[in-house]
Amino acid sequence: MYIGLLEDEPHLAQHVCEILENAGHSTSVFNNGADMVKAIGRDTIDLFVLDWRVPRMSGLEVLKHIRDVRGLKEPVLFLTSRTDEQDIIEALNAGADDYCTKPVRPQEFLARVTALLRRTYPDRNDQDTTRNLLNYVFNKLDNSVHFDNQQVSLSEKEFKLALFLFENHERAVSRERLMQEVWHGEGDALSRSLDVHVSWLRKKLDLAATSPHLRLKPIYGFGYRLMAVNASTDA
């Protein structure tokens, strides 16, 4: 998972990143609230870890931007030295999902992060060799997808891209995030490869703009979203 950390104390930020990265997550650190808010417009972050007192925009202001301005549902965990009951209540009422106090207790912190991710993204389980997502069955053993009484074989990159999009269905995913997940990098060449692979998936998995059930739609200037067809998408 990709976790955004808002923390202006370098040594603590490094410590928290080590905890998360040792558990297999990717992290980005922001030492002020304004930079994190800018990143929200260009990146797809799975979980936010916010300190309260940081420069330019406080953690609480960033939380309100996440919930009220962006309307994002991704989990938010406060990691702060503020332990007053009213502060905790204010953060939770503003949309935070959990609260962890400093100094960091690594096992407790990681357990809270894991619980939030498991609750928010129940579709993601790397231990399963087959996955049933939106009536599409993904088989990791041979990179095949079964749907509508047909089975389609995909290349390794097509399969990884399709599986990630299905795991994040109804969620806007940035181009940068997709390139990192599938190709482990960014750049113009990979960006063109992404568009080509998206075009192939639309044809092979019936995700085109006229498809009756699911559509893989571009989000101008950002990325893509896999959406179920309903009245709002047809409007």
Side-chain angles (χ1 to χ4, degrees):
M1 297 288 187
Y2 181 39
I3 298 176
L5 171 63
L6 178 60
E7 174 57 62
D8 64 336
E9 203 288 299
H11 294 293
L12 179 57
Q14 181 180 357
H15 178 50
V16 172
C17 285
E18 288 175 354
I19 295 170
L20 294 170
E21 290 170 4
N22 287 339
H25 302 296
S26 300
T27 60
S28 283
V29 179
F30 306 91
N31 59 21
N32 67 79
D35 283 349
M36 175 170 266
V37 164
K38 290 179 183 177
I40 293 171
R42 64 176 185 268
D43 295 331
T44 306
I45 298 174
D46 295 315
L47 181 143
F48 297 89
V49 177
L50 307 180
D51 187 11
W52 196 298
R53 292 183 180 138
V54 290
R56 298 177 63 187
M57 286 181 70
S58 70
L60 187 63
E61 290 175 310
V62 173
L63 170 62
K64 291 179 178 178
H65 181 87
I66 291 169
R67 295 293 187 242
D68 300 337
V69 178
R70 290 284 179 176
L72 299 178
K73 305 299 184 184
E74 283 78 359
V76 175
L77 170 69
F78 262 93
L79 180 62
T80 176
S81 57
R82 298 181 71 144
T83 58
D84 184 80
E85 183 180 12
Q86 286 305 120
D87 290 336
I88 298 173
I89 291 172
E90 184 178 10
L92 294 174
N93 284 341
D97 297 279
D98 203 354
Y99 201 99
C100 201
T101 59
K102 300 176 183 177
V104 179
R105 295 187 290 267
Q107 290 184 334
E108 177 194 349
F109 170 68
L110 191 57
R112 290 180 181 275
V113 166
T114 301
L116 283 176
L117 292 172
R118 183 172 58 242
R119 186 165 71 237
T120 309
Y121 307 105
D123 286 339
R124 303 193 195 183
N125 184 352
D126 290 337
Q127 303 304 313
D128 295 338
T129 57
T130 60
R131 305 279 302 283
N132 190 330
L133 299 168
L134 305 175
N135 294 319
Y136 283 63
V137 179
F138 289 77
N139 190 329
K140 295 181 180 180
L141 296 179
D142 60 4
N143 290 340
S144 67
V145 182
H146 188 275
F147 67 101
D148 289 345
N149 295 318
Q150 61 178 309
Q151 181 167 308
V152 176
S153 294
L154 301 178
S155 71
E156 179 182 358
K157 294 291 192 293
E158 289 173 335
F159 187 86
K160 289 179 68 175
L161 178 60
L163 181 58
F164 187 76
L165 288 165
F166 272 75
E167 288 174 335
N168 290 277
H169 60 89
E170 305 297 336
R171 186 182 182 204
V173 184
S174 69
R175 298 178 64 86
E176 290 77 9
R177 179 69 188 280
L178 291 169
M179 287 186 284
Q180 285 290 342
E181 288 287 335
V182 179
W183 288 274
H184 306 294
E186 297 178 25
D188 291 341
L190 293 184
S191 183
R192 290 190 291 271
S193 292
L194 171 62
D195 292 331
V196 170
H197 280 68
V198 165
S199 178
W200 290 341
L201 290 182
R202 285 192 177 117
K203 295 176 182 177
K204 293 183 178 183
L205 301 184
D206 194 19
L207 306 175
T210 57
S211 297
H213 303 300
L214 294 171
R215 296 175 186 174
L216 181 50
K217 305 187 72 172
I219 301 174
Y220 181 74
F222 186 75
Y224 292 96
R225 186 198 311 255
L226 179 66
M227 303 178 66
V229 176
N230 53 40
S232 62
T233 58
D234 285 332

